[in-house]
Amino acid sequence: SDDFIYEGKNAKYYGPFYWLLVHLLYKFADSIFPKVNLIHVWKFSSFLVFQIAAITFYKLSRFFIARVPALIISLLFITQPLLWGHAFINQKDIPLMTFFLMSITLGIYKIDTYNRSLQEEEGVQQHNPKKGIRERWYAWRSEWNSATRQLKIILSFLLLLFTSLST
């Protein structure tokens, strides 16, 4: 039944882009299964979008860590009871989370690609390898691991202090 109508009264709850995708999915499902209910298509599409979030989360974590740990934390991400439950019933927050994760991931990949292309244009020498975000992350991580315990405590304290002052 086509009883759900996207109107101004519910526009604040659903973005027009996501609603358009769901409505196209509903029209496709309605052509195959004529008695499909729109709310079931909404719930199914939210779950599909949650799966896209899991893949995006894997790609984001894969950018910074190895394949196996990235897979493990992605599995932990999708098996969280709160997120798993909301994947079926929450048609607002799951798409927002997914599109937010996608924008962060695509942004990081694009910045890294742009930095590498700039370094290629500038003619980076062979002895000075190109450094993208990933290489900088690995360099920072190795510096952090080689730091003394006292320095780590001081830096962690300063980080907590500055973040608490900024809120």
Side-chain angles (χ1 to χ4, degrees):
S1 73
D2 202 1
D3 54 352
F4 181 84
I5 301 172
Y6 183 76
E7 296 175 349
K9 66 180 180 180
N10 61 0
K12 61 184 176 187
Y13 299 121
Y14 306 100
F17 177 71
Y18 181 64
W19 179 87
L20 177 66
L21 292 177
V22 171
H23 195 69
L24 289 174
L25 181 64
Y26 170 69
K27 289 297 182 188
F28 176 73
D30 191 44
S31 67
I32 297 171
F33 308 106
K35 294 189 179 192
V36 69
N37 192 343
L38 181 59
I39 196 67
H40 294 132
V41 174
W42 268 97
K43 289 180 180 185
F44 180 71
S45 65
S46 292
F47 185 71
L48 286 179
V49 168
F50 180 64
Q51 300 310 311
I52 294 170
I55 294 167
T56 306
F57 187 77
Y58 171 77
K59 288 290 191 183
L60 180 63
S61 59
R62 183 67 186 97
F63 193 77
F64 295 106
I65 59 177
R67 184 170 287 148
V68 173
L71 181 62
I72 290 171
I73 65 169
S74 297
L75 290 174
L76 286 173
F77 173 75
I78 64 172
T79 57
Q80 292 301 306
L82 181 68
L83 293 175
W84 182 261
H86 277 269
F88 291 101
I89 62 170
N90 194 332
Q91 293 95 18
K92 297 176 284 188
D93 297 333
I94 296 297
L96 174 69
M97 176 187 68
T98 302
F99 295 138
F100 187 71
L101 269 172
M102 287 173 68
S103 66
I104 290 172
T105 304
L106 291 173
I108 286 176
Y109 274 93
K110 186 61 182 171
I111 288 170
D112 191 53
T113 304
Y114 179 72
N115 284 340
R116 289 175 186 272
S117 68
L118 280 181
Q119 290 175 358
E120 286 175 2
E121 288 175 6
E122 293 172 358
V124 176
Q125 301 297 325
Q126 187 67 17
H127 66 277
N128 187 8
K130 298 176 285 191
K131 286 196 171 186
I133 294 172
R134 183 177 298 172
E135 288 80 11
R136 290 180 184 147
W137 167 259
Y138 289 142
W140 179 86
R141 190 171 66 179
S142 66
E143 287 179 23
W144 177 260
N145 289 337
S146 65
T148 64
R149 185 171 188 259
Q150 287 178 323
L151 182 60
K152 288 180 182 179
I153 291 171
I154 291 170
L155 290 175
S156 299
F157 175 75
L158 289 174
L159 179 66
L160 287 173
L161 180 68
F162 288 129
T163 55
S164 65
L165 291 176
S166 66
T167 55

